[in-house]
Amino acid sequence: MLLRHLAIMLRLGLLTACVVISNPSDSLAKGTLWENWGAVLRGEVPCEPAVGIYAGQSYDWSEMNFGLVSYQVLYDHETIWLHQAPDGLGVRLEGNIGPAGGTEFSGARLMASANVLAVYELTSREKQTIVPYIEGGIGVIYTDFQRSGQGSRVNFNPVAGVGLRRGPMFLSLRLFHVSNAGLNDDNRGFNGLVLGAGVYLGGR
């Protein structure tokens, strides 16, 4: 039940991102893109769900570290945007949640994020056993802590990384950033390095 609710929230996040970065008037005129987003929200578009675990360490905040459990859904790019794209290009939606610890706050604190990432596999899974990929995107993150000058506990969360996939298994190394993009006068963000591993659960 929890995974189903998380998947619905991820699809809603994708719909929001599509509305922001697409041309709504053109989509409404054609109708097909909006219909496709509705199919995504209903879970009718082929995808690969996955679960993962991520461990992170901030490199510009003294001893701030965290661990996250992740639920992800990977779509072919063409099934989301309805136009041709390079082979191996996909769109990943993910929800992450877990504890954080640090020297500037006491005890474990909650971190939770929802991200939309482009994922590009550099080789074909049909041709190679181990497939390298790159990924990058943005999301929204909540932190149950607020360092001096941070301004807000809800922030933007740009992410970029590299990874390896072998069959259903994957490993990734990411850079992440947390800040409010200047929406608040206090915008002391932080950056970190994240190592992750997970498994796809089938699908497509």
Side-chain angles (χ1 to χ4, degrees):
M1 182 65 71
L2 177 61
L3 291 181
R4 182 174 180 181
H5 288 310
L6 191 53
I8 292 172
M9 287 190 293
L10 288 173
R11 293 179 179 124
L12 286 172
L14 174 64
L15 177 61
T16 302
C18 289
V19 170
V20 170
I21 65 178
S22 69
N23 183 340
S25 60
D26 183 62
S27 300
L28 284 170
K30 295 180 180 178
T32 56
L33 189 56
W34 284 100
E35 291 170 1
N36 190 66
W37 292 342
V40 170
L41 293 175
R42 294 190 299 270
E44 298 172 357
V45 176
C47 64
E48 287 185 284
V51 292
I53 298 177
Y54 292 87
Q57 174 74 50
S58 174
Y59 56 78
D60 63 354
W61 187 348
S62 179
E63 297 184 23
M64 206 287 285
N65 52 74
F66 57 88
L68 300 171
V69 176
S70 178
Y71 179 76
Q72 309 175 357
V73 186
L74 179 64
Y75 296 89
D76 286 331
H77 185 277
E78 294 180 1
T79 65
I80 296 295
W81 294 109
L82 300 182
H83 61 71
Q84 289 188 338
D87 291 339
L89 182 62
V91 177
R92 187 197 317 279
L93 292 88
E94 60 179 41
N96 311 296
I97 189 169
T103 56
E104 296 186 23
F105 51 86
S106 61
R109 302 293 184 89
L110 176 71
M111 288 182 68
S113 67
N115 300 322
V116 180
L117 292 86
V119 181
Y120 182 60
E121 296 180 346
L122 302 177
T123 59
S124 170
R125 279 181 246 161
E126 286 74 27
K127 296 179 179 179
Q128 287 191 218
T129 303
I130 298 178
V131 178
Y133 65 87
I134 56 177
E135 59 183 358
I138 193 167
V140 177
I141 188 168
Y142 169 79
T143 58
D144 189 28
F145 53 83
Q146 193 171 346
R147 71 182 307 182
S148 177
Q150 188 173 335
S152 174
R153 297 191 180 199
V154 178
N155 291 282
F156 294 108
N157 183 209
V159 175
V162 296
L164 295 172
R165 176 172 177 172
R166 178 173 182 175
M169 311 294 293
F170 68 88
L171 293 172
S172 71
L173 182 65
R174 293 178 171 181
L175 294 172
F176 82 100
H177 173 73
V178 174
S179 72
N180 61 48
L183 297 180
N184 190 300
D185 291 337
D186 294 325
N187 189 27
R188 174 61 171 96
F190 60 91
N191 304 293
L193 194 64
V194 185
L195 180 64
V199 60
Y200 286 95
L201 306 176
R204 289 196 188 173

